Structure formats: structure tokens, C-alpha cells
């Protein structure tokens, strides 16, 4: 009985140590989730700003603004997010601009996704029917007054579904920042794998977390779309 009791106590202690160890590893992954969420939120804000600036720039009357907006869009859509991230983190210091891994990640992700969002903005605005512009002229609204009060509220409803997709793409793209040692979900999963030799648990865990975050974004965008659609008869094209 004594030996059995000792074996039982040893097994209990081993199980306790095992649970404590894995709770610590899951804590690391949750810390990585917070970094991923921060990256997604900050990157989305920058992407949204750049999308509207470049999208409206593409519709400008001035050639220089149109050319600048087009150059930005084509450059960031035509080059790899990996290369853009490495440029932001490793190359910019050579010209005196040093960024933290978080800043470099937000900059690269925001500029990259913003380039795709700019075409969404342009296309949505151009989808609004000509009669809407004529109505604005009839009530003596200026170009920017018409854009702000009549065109954009309708165009935004068209933009939202694609903006939601872009936000999810940005969320998934945050995994690239692990390449510059930012402790996001993917980086922490790699740490857990290297320390435990277990690949299934950490990567299944972050798979579920990424999916849950994407569902939250989808739900938020759909809710916002329904709210904005109230009071509108739909976009007249």
C-alpha cells in the first residue's frame, strides 16, 4: 500500500506539473492573441485612412493627385507583403527611420490592405447613379458637400462587405510579423512547439482563435451594414 500510495502521489504530482506547464503555454498564446488583436485594430485604422485617401485621390480632378494615388495602389498591390514588412523593419533604419516591430507591422499591413481598399472606395463611389449627382446639383450642393452628405453614405453601404473581407485578410496577414520577432499568435505557437515538441496543440489552438476573431469581424460588419441600411431604400444605381 505504501508503494502504491507513493506511485499515486508521484503520478498526481506529474499530472499537476503537466497541467501547470500547459496552462503557462496557453497563457503565452493568449498574450499573442492580444498582440494580434492590437495589430489588426491599428492596421485596420491605417488601412481605412489610406483606402479613402487613395480611393478619393483616384477620382480627383487633378492629374498629380490621381497619379500619386495610382502609384501607391499599384506599388503596394504589386509587391509582396513580406518584402514590404522587411523594408519597413530592416531597410528604413538605413535612412534614419527606426521602427519597433509593432510599428513596422502596422505600417506594412495598413499600407498593403489600404491599397486594396482604395479600389473598393473608388468602385463604390462610381457605382452611385448619375441621378444622385444631378440631384445634388439641383439643390446647389458643392462637390465635397455632395460627396459627404449624399454620395458617401450610399457608397459606404456598398463598401462594407468588401471592407469586412479586407479586415479578415489583414487579421490573417498579421502572422507575417512573427518573421520580425513580434510576439503575435503565430510566434507564440512556434515558441510552444519548440519547447514542448508538440505541434498539434499550439497550432490547433491558434487556428481556432484566428477563426473566432474572423467570426467576430464578420458579425460586426454585418451588424453595421444592417444598421446603416435602415432608412435607406438601397443604393440607386
Amino acid at each position: 500500500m505504501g508503494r502504491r500510495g507513493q506511485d499515486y502521489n508521484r503520478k498526481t504530482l506529474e499530472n499537476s506539473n503537466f497541467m501547470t506547464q500547459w496552462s503557462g503555454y496557453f497563457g503565452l498564446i493568449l498574450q499573442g492573441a492580444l498582440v494580434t488583436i492590437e495589430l489588426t485594430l491599428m492596421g485596420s485604422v491605417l488601412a481605412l485612412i489610406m483606402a479613402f485617401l487613395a480611393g478619393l485621390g483616384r477620382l480627383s480632378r487633378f492629374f498629380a493627385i490621381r497619379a500619386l494615388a495610382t502609384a501607391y495602389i499599384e506599388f503596394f498591390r504589386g509587391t509582396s507583403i513580406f518584402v514590404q514588412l522587411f523594408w519597413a523593419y530592416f531597410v528604413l533604419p538605413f535612412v534614419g527611420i527606426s521602427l519597433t516591430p509593432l510599428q513596422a507591422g502596422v505600417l506594412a499591413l495598413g499600407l498593403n490592405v489600404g491599397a486594396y481598399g482604395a479600389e473598393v472606395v473608388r468602385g463604390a463611389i462610381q457605382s452611385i447613379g448619375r441621378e444622385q449627382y444631378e440631384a445634388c446639383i439641383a439643390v446647389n450642393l458643392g462637390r465635397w458637400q455632395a460627396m459627404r452628405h449624399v454620395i458617401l453614405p450610399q457608397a459606404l453601404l456598398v463598401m462594407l462587405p468588401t471592407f469586412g473581407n479586407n479586415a479578415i485578410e489583414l487579421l490573417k496577414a498579421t502572422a507575417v510579423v512573427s518573421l520580425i520577432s513580434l510576439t503575435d499568435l503565430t510566434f507564440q505557437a512556434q515558441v510552444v512547439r519548440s519547447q514542448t515538441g508538440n505541434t498539434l496543440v499550439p497550432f490547433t489552438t491558434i487556428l481556432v482563435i484566428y477563426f473566432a476573431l474572423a467570426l467576430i469581424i464578420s458579425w460586426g460588419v454585418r451588424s453595421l451594414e444592417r444598421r446603416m441600411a435602415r432608412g435607406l431604400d438601397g443604393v440607386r444605381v
Side-chain angles (χ1 to χ4, degrees):
M1 290 295 295
R3 180 174 296 177
R4 289 181 180 177
Q6 291 175 359
D7 291 341
Y8 175 79
N9 289 335
R10 185 173 64 254
K11 290 180 180 179
T12 301
L13 181 61
E14 290 174 353
N15 290 335
S16 176
N17 291 337
F18 176 81
M19 293 301 296
T20 301
Q21 183 184 38
W22 273 101
S23 65
Y25 290 141
F26 284 123
L28 283 177
I29 291 176
L30 290 178
Q31 291 175 15
L34 293 178
V35 174
T36 294
I37 292 171
E38 185 178 10
L39 265 173
T40 302
L41 292 176
M42 296 173 67
S44 295
V45 170
L46 178 58
L48 198 60
I49 293 172
M50 296 305 301
F52 275 95
L53 287 177
L56 293 172
R58 288 265 285 162
L59 300 173
S60 174
R61 295 175 177 176
F62 303 101
F63 172 77
I65 296 177
R66 293 199 309 272
L68 184 62
T70 301
Y72 158 70
I73 292 169
E74 295 303 327
F75 177 80
F76 281 94
R77 288 197 310 175
T79 55
S80 168
I81 181 63
F82 292 97
V83 178
Q84 295 164 15
L85 179 65
F86 290 157
W87 258 83
Y89 189 64
F90 294 113
V91 179
L92 287 183
F94 286 100
V95 295
I97 304 175
S98 295
L99 301 177
T100 65
L102 180 63
Q103 292 170 338
V106 169
L107 182 64
L109 291 168
L111 292 178
N112 182 273
V113 176
Y116 291 93
E119 288 297 274
V120 176
V121 172
R122 180 190 61 80
I125 291 174
Q126 290 183 328
S127 73
I128 303 303
R130 185 175 181 81
E131 70 275 5
Q132 297 294 306
Y133 294 91
E134 294 172 348
C136 292
I137 294 173
V139 296
N140 201 30
L141 290 180
R143 177 178 171 84
W144 288 108
Q145 286 179 313
M147 185 65 69
R148 177 183 175 186
H149 297 292
V150 179
I151 306 303
L152 276 180
Q154 297 181 68
L156 190 56
L157 195 60
V158 178
M159 300 176 200
L160 274 178
T162 309
F163 275 172
N165 290 337
N166 288 345
I168 292 173
E169 287 298 322
L170 192 150
L171 166 68
K172 295 186 292 185
T174 58
V176 304
V177 301
S178 62
L179 298 173
I180 57 173
S181 300
L182 186 59
T183 55
D184 72 316
L185 267 174
T186 303
F187 182 90
Q188 297 291 33
Q190 291 172 344
V191 169
V192 173
R193 181 191 61 80
S194 66
Q195 292 183 1
T196 65
N198 188 310
T199 300
L200 176 63
V201 174
F203 283 101
T204 299
T205 302
I206 69 168
L207 187 71
V208 172
I209 294 175
Y210 275 121
F211 182 63
L213 293 175
L215 284 180
I216 292 172
I217 293 173
S218 296
W219 173 82
V221 170
R222 284 196 297 268
S223 299
L224 183 59
E225 187 178 358
R226 286 194 298 269
R227 180 173 297 181
M228 291 188 63
R230 293 170 187 167
L232 291 177
D233 294 326
V235 176
R236 293 186 277 277
V237 296

